[in-house]
Amino acid sequence: MIDKKVHRIAIIGAGGMARNHIKAFQDIDGVEVVGIFSRTQEKTKILASDYSIEIVANSIEELYALTLADLVVVAVPVLETAGVVRRVFEFPWVSLIEKPVGYNYQEATDLVSLASKLKARSYVALNRRHLSSTNAVLNELSE
């Protein structure tokens, strides 16, 4: 019998994008969402309850220590992303950063440099390119 590894996922954030990632990951065999952290504890506890996530951490450090997750999804407001990502890079998990990686070009390039220096394995989801508002602007610009 083949021993399949279960990939452990942690979530930072408790908004709509966090909810969408949780739903998507829970539909994949061999993947388990094992913990969640957000500064908004009430929303975090509701999300954890809605999706049977056992670990609700009080910090990023605790999230890592309690879950030993393979991957962390960062789904926080844009203005908080850089600070959260800097803390995430302190741990050996792979990270998926939702939303723009930085609020501006300088912040984004600083994070890229830090990821390179720390050899952080990180990916950025560019979902905004598919939003109807983005498509509307692109259509207007092309006209």
Side-chain angles (χ1 to χ4, degrees):
M1 179 174 218
I2 297 173
D3 183 24
K4 291 186 177 180
K5 177 179 176 17
V6 172
H7 298 282
R8 299 168 58 80
I9 311 297
I11 306 289
I12 299 175
M17 289 311 299
R19 182 176 293 274
N20 288 334
H21 280 285
I22 292 166
K23 286 193 282 189
F25 280 123
Q26 287 188 336
D27 283 343
I28 301 171
D29 290 336
V31 173
E32 181 181 2
V33 179
V34 294
I36 186 169
F37 163 72
S38 177
R39 63 181 171 82
T40 315
Q41 281 292 305
E42 186 175 320
K43 283 176 65 178
T44 308
K45 289 176 183 174
I46 291 168
L47 196 56
S49 175
D50 288 350
Y51 293 97
S52 302
I53 300 169
E54 292 183 22
I55 297 170
V56 176
N58 294 306
S59 68
I60 292 171
E61 296 77 15
E62 185 177 77
L63 183 65
Y64 180 76
L66 293 176
T67 66
L68 297 177
D70 304 297
L71 175 106
V72 64
V73 175
V74 177
V76 300
V78 174
L79 293 176
E80 293 180 32
T81 302
V84 170
V85 169
R86 284 186 190 93
R87 291 172 50 214
V88 162
F89 284 171
E90 297 173 15
F91 302 93
W93 47 28
V94 174
S95 59
L96 173 62
I97 304 164
E98 187 59 61
K99 302 194 170 105
V101 70
Y103 181 68
N104 56 41
Y105 179 76
Q106 186 62 55
E107 192 171 82
T109 56
D110 288 349
L111 288 173
V112 169
S113 294
L114 181 61
S116 179
K117 175 183 171 186
L118 298 174
K119 296 183 172 63
R121 295 174 298 153
S122 188
Y123 302 87
V124 178
L126 300 173
N127 69 22
R128 298 242 183 259
R129 67 184 171 179
H130 298 292
L131 287 178
S132 60
S133 59
T134 302
N135 289 329
V137 168
L138 291 172
N139 286 336
E140 283 190 36
L141 289 172
S142 68
E143 293 172 3

